C-alpha cells in the first residue's frame, strides 16, 4: 500500500496496477504503436511514390529532349552491339575448336 493522508485516510500515491491490468495496458500500447507505425509507413510510401513519379517525369522529359543525351545513347548502343558481336564470334570460335578437338580424340 502507499502512504496515507492522516486527515482523510486516502492514498497520496495510487497503487500499481494489477498484472491483468498491466497486460491489458501493454496490449493497448502495442496496438496504438503498431497503428501509428503502419500509418507513418503508408505515408512514407505515398510520399516516396509521388517523389519518384515527379523525378521520373522530369528526368525522362529532360533526357528525351536533350540532343547530347541522344548522341550518348546512340554511341553507347553502337559500342554495346560491337562488343556483343565480338563476344559471340569469340564464343563460336571457341566452341568450334572444342568440337573439333573432341571429334579428333574419339
Amino acid at each position: 500500500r502507499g502512504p496515507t493522508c492522516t486527515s482523510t485516510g486516502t492514498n497520496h500515491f495510487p497503487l500499481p496496477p494489477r498484472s491483468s491490468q498491466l497486460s491489458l495496458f501493454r496490449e493497448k500500447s502495442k496496438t496504438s504503436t503498431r497503428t501509428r507505425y503502419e500509418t507513418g509507413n503508408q505515408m512514407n510510401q505515398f510520399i516516396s511514390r509521388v517523389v519518384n513519379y515527379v523525378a521520373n517525369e522530369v528526368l525522362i522529359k529532360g533526357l528525351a529532349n536533350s540532343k547530347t543525351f541522344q548522341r550518348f545513347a546512340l554511341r553507347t548502343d553502337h559500342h554495346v552491339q560491337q562488343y556483343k558481336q565480338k563476344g559471340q564470334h569469340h564464343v563460336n570460335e571457341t566452341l568450334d575448336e572444342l568440337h573439333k578437338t573432341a571429334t579428333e580424340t574419339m
Side-chain angles (χ1 to χ4, degrees):
R1 304 234 170 208
T4 57
C5 178
T6 54
S7 62
T8 60
T10 59
N11 288 338
H12 283 286
F13 303 103
L15 293 175
R18 295 183 185 151
S19 62
S20 61
Q21 291 172 332
L22 273 176
S23 64
L24 182 62
F25 174 75
R26 286 184 185 138
E27 285 301 316
K28 285 182 179 179
S29 67
K30 283 181 187 176
T31 304
S32 64
T33 303
R34 190 178 315 123
T35 305
R36 275 185 267 141
Y37 173 75
E38 289 171 355
T39 303
N41 194 21
Q42 289 172 349
M43 186 59 125
N44 287 341
Q45 288 177 351
F46 174 74
I47 291 172
S48 176
R49 287 181 184 167
V50 169
V51 168
N52 282 335
Y53 173 78
V54 170
N56 284 336
E57 286 296 312
V58 169
L59 284 173
I60 289 171
K61 288 182 181 177
L63 292 175
N65 295 329
S66 169
K67 296 295 181 191
T68 305
F69 179 76
Q70 291 174 1
R71 277 185 269 137
F72 166 76
L74 286 173
R75 274 189 268 131
T76 302
D77 182 60
H78 178 71
H79 289 296
V80 168
Q81 294 303 323
Q82 281 182 336
Y83 290 127
K84 280 175 63 176
Q85 287 176 354
K86 287 179 184 177
Q88 188 175 12
H89 181 69
H90 179 70
V91 168
N92 286 339
E93 284 180 353
T94 305
L95 286 175
D96 288 343
E97 289 175 17
L98 182 65
H99 182 263
K100 182 179 175 183
T101 307
T103 54
E104 288 176 355
T105 57
M106 293 180 133

